[in-house]
Amino acid sequence: SAVPISSVPDGHEILDGCDKLVEPCERTGMRYMLGETTYYHAEAMFCRRKAAEGAFGSFVYCEGEYFHDVDAACNLREVQRHRLASKAGQEWVALSKQYRERGIQWGPMHYPTHSTSGPVCVMNAHAVEVTCYGHRNQTNDPFFQDFAFSNETALFRMSNGAVVRICEYREIGLPGNETFRVFGTKGSYTASTWCDNKSTTPLTVDEMRDPLPPEVAEAFREGRTESAAYGGHGGSHAYLVHEFVDAVAHQRQPATNIWEAARYMAMGVMAHESALKDGETLDVPDWGDAPG
């Protein structure tokens, strides 16, 4: 599926949706893949390689963020208008009234995968508990009428002992930004730069990317400019397509399988729940690792 696994105002319903995907995958051996673009951003690929080498040492702290103001270049008001104009969109208009009548409001943490996937996939760790705070829209913007918060900031304790800060903001005076930073006892990654306590090494996108099979890279380059050779969303599209097809062809679990995807989603669900409870520290559920 596209991201996220599910996005509705009721977090309990989202977690139930994770259960309903994990269970049949465990029972039948069938596979699910999440189309998470951040997983195949160049910095994510580079950081996973450095983690596999042990170059970070012990992970200490990570930050992930998805800053996407409603009026940014990719205008969320226009996105919403197009979605609601569809048949499925009109079904959602009717369904959303039920949540409103129940007083259930959502927040940007119910779309968390662009910010949570980077730290999780690099550290190969899951969230254990979270404290989160929300910022409420102050302008009576109708876009946020069903949102408890327009921005949410969360702090997670991870299974490996590291701390992760995640920001999901939809009302922010910045150009769109989707990135993460990773800090360890031996080395760190930030802003396209590898660092240790003596030096910094700036990196190009091509240096950070994993290689694609030549025929896949050639197929994606055909008819494209070099800057768009790998497709959109940070050049992730070629990698996502290749991962999906290769996982099907070799009957293996895709990298962004249901167990990995559920970890991204649960972080956001429980962060929003914490924000609704004024920052109460809450446990984050986990479904374990993918089999095999």
Side-chain angles (χ1 to χ4, degrees), residues 49-130:
R49 292 200 305 272
K50 299 301 280 187
E53 297 168 8
F56 283 101
S58 297
F59 291 106
V60 177
Y61 174 69
C62 299
E63 297 175 334
E65 61 210 30
Y66 184 42
F67 296 150
H68 193 156
D69 186 84
V70 290
D71 294 311
C74 180
N75 189 287
L76 294 180
R77 300 181 202 277
E78 285 300 302
V79 171
Q80 183 185 68
R81 185 176 66 81
H82 282 290
R83 287 176 176 170
L84 295 183
S86 68
K87 180 180 178 181
Q90 288 305 298
E91 291 174 355
W92 169 249
V93 170
L95 183 62
S96 64
K97 293 177 182 177
Q98 299 177 23
Y99 294 105
R100 199 173 298 132
E101 290 168 356
R102 292 163 56 198
I104 296 178
Q105 293 185 303
W106 53 9
M109 280 289 180
H110 280 190
Y111 197 114
T113 60
H114 292 334
S115 58
T116 58
S117 58
V120 169
C121 77
V122 171
M123 294 193 300
N124 193 27
H126 63 273
V128 174
E129 60 183 21
V130 60

Side-chain angles (χ1 to χ4, degrees), residues 20 22 24 27 41 47 59 69 84 88 93 108 111 124-125 130 136 144 164 168 172 194 238 247 249 258 262 283 292:
K20 289 177 178 177
V22 171
R27 176 171 45 83
H41 281 193
C47 286
F59 291 106
D69 186 84
L84 295 183
V93 170
Y111 197 114
N124 193 27
V130 60
R136 299 180 188 276
F144 296 110
V164 170
E168 284 285 345
I172 181 76
W194 175 255
I258 184 56
D283 292 340

